Amino acid sequence: MNSQPPSKIPEEFAASAGYMLNQTAQVIAEMVTEALKPLKLAPQEYGVMRVISISGPVSQQTFADRYNIDRTMVTGLVDGLEKRGYVDRQRSTTDRRVNLMHLTPLGKRALTQAVRSVKKAQAEFLAPLTDEEWEATRLSLVKLLEAHRPI
Amino acid sequence: MNSQPPSKIPEEFAASAGYMLNQTAQVIAEMVTEALKPLKLAPQEYGVMRVISISGPVSQQTFADRYNIDRTMVTGLVDGLEKRGYVDRQRSTTDRRVNLMHLTPLGKRALTQAVRSVKKAQAEFLAPLTDEEWEATRLSLVKLLEAHRPI
DNA sequence: TATTGTTATACTCTATAACTATA
DNA sequence: TATAGTTATAGAGTATAACAATA
């Protein structure tokens, strides 16, 4: 959707890992935020639902660890999702301190839509790269993250 | 400095451009922030000084554009740097609305140190990759950024 | 009229600590 | 004692609008 001819980034910036990663992360974050806006989902709310759907019912603490945010933030996220009927909390029977978050059928349907929108945004974001280029980039990012942030 | 064996990122997350870029960007941002802390420089302050040193005296608006922040934020950044004697504002003679930001000799010395620290942090961050892997990754990021954020 | 820089305001985000209930 | 979740508070960061000076 960008019809202007792309201009060159000064090489000193292009050489900076911090600048390049932060700027590109900001671009995709904006695109995903926009993609989720019609569904009235914030990126972090989408994150909650994705984590549940992928990893099965998880505790709020587990989600906080995975997204590297504080557990005090998760309370409000789940509140909002529960109010909309997308998620519910169920006390763990094996450790009754723990709230296991579950996707409701309504939440599953909303998530299906959201995943579709996010995938579309991601495809648009990655369009300038060949599949091979992105795959190589992705693998490097995985290496970096696994080395520096073991879960 | 990470002696634990790195654990696997679930493939659904590893497949997500948004998740991977945001998480890796967060890691490098934290490392750079730490590296600059002894010099009492915030990453954005470092950014101001780098931009001036690379692009020559620039207006506050130009910096805001390059780092994708609002110009109202720049005022405070420059205030702090000016107070420490690292930067000064000079009214442009050709357009007297514009403040051109200059590095002072003291600022130049501080920046030299800061660049050294940031480069060290970056090298540590990139250590898990071969030079070729990072170069390929970097080029992909440049493509993405030039396509989506023409300056 | 539009743009640069400044200021003030309000809002959002996040970090911290304290509390409860469990383990 | 330690952990999961909640709540309240304060602080940082940011967005917005309005203004003066200049184009």
Side-chain angles (χ1 to χ4, degrees), chain B residues 20-93:
Chain B
M20 292 307 301
L21 281 170
N22 278 289
Q23 292 293 317
T24 48
Q26 205 172 315
V27 169
I28 179 70
E30 282 164 14
M31 291 173 77
V32 166
T33 302
E34 280 309 305
L36 289 172
K37 201 165 272 177
L39 308 174
K40 305 230 187 293
L41 277 177
Q44 287 184 325
E45 293 175 325
Y46 171 76
V48 169
M49 299 214 288
R50 275 230 85 192
V51 169
I52 304 174
S53 126
I54 289 167
S55 309
V58 297
S59 74
Q60 301 183 194
Q61 181 67 62
T62 300
F63 174 76
D65 291 341
R66 160 107 21 224
Y67 270 73
N68 206 42
I69 63 176
D70 195 272
R71 70 177 192 279
T72 59
M73 311 285 313
V74 183
T75 301
L77 286 174
V78 182
D79 283 349
L81 290 169
E82 209 169 31
K83 201 169 300 176
R84 272 174 281 177
Y86 289 170
V87 163
D88 60 17
R89 294 164 154 109
Q90 293 176 25
R91 269 281 185 265
S92 163
T93 49

Side-chain angles (χ1 to χ4, degrees), chain A residues 2 4-32 47 50-51 54-55 66-69 122 124-130 133-134 136-151, chain B residues 2 4-32 47 50-51 54-55 66-69 122 124-130 133-134 136-151:
Chain A
N2 246 322
Q4 294 134 291
S7 60
K8 292 273 298 179
I9 299 168
E11 62 178 79
E12 288 91 344
F13 296 99
S16 159
Y19 181 82
M20 292 307 301
L21 281 170
N22 278 288
Q23 293 294 316
T24 48
Q26 205 172 315
V27 169
I28 178 71
E30 281 163 14
M31 291 172 77
V32 167
R50 273 230 85 193
V51 168
I54 289 168
S55 310
R66 160 105 23 223
Y67 270 73
N68 204 44
I69 64 176
Q122 172 168 318
E124 195 186 324
F125 172 72
L126 294 178
L129 302 183
T130 66
E133 283 172 328
W134 169 238
T137 300
R138 202 182 66 74
L139 289 175
S140 291
L141 297 178
V142 169
K143 272 195 202 178
L144 289 169
L145 199 54
E146 289 188 342
H148 292 293
R149 193 166 276 173
I151 312 188
Chain B
N2 246 323
Q4 294 135 290
S7 61
K8 293 273 296 178
I9 298 167
E11 61 178 80
E12 287 91 344
F13 296 98
S16 157
Y19 182 82
M20 292 307 301
L21 281 170
N22 278 289
Q23 292 293 317
T24 48
Q26 205 172 315
V27 169
I28 179 70
E30 282 164 14
M31 291 173 77
V32 166
R50 275 230 85 192
V51 169
I54 289 167
S55 309
R66 160 107 21 224
Y67 270 73
N68 206 42
I69 63 176
Q122 173 168 319
E124 196 186 323
F125 172 73
L126 295 178
L129 301 183
T130 65
E133 283 172 328
W134 169 239
T137 301
R138 202 181 66 75
L139 289 176
S140 291
L141 297 178
V142 169
K143 272 195 201 176
L144 289 170
L145 198 54
E146 288 188 343
H148 292 292
R149 194 166 275 172
I151 313 188

Side-chain angles (χ1 to χ4, degrees), chain A residues 109-122:
Chain A
R109 284 201 294 281
L111 181 58
T112 301
Q113 268 203 289
V115 168
R116 195 158 34 223
S117 295
V118 169
K119 289 223 164 116
K120 217 173 115 193
Q122 172 168 318

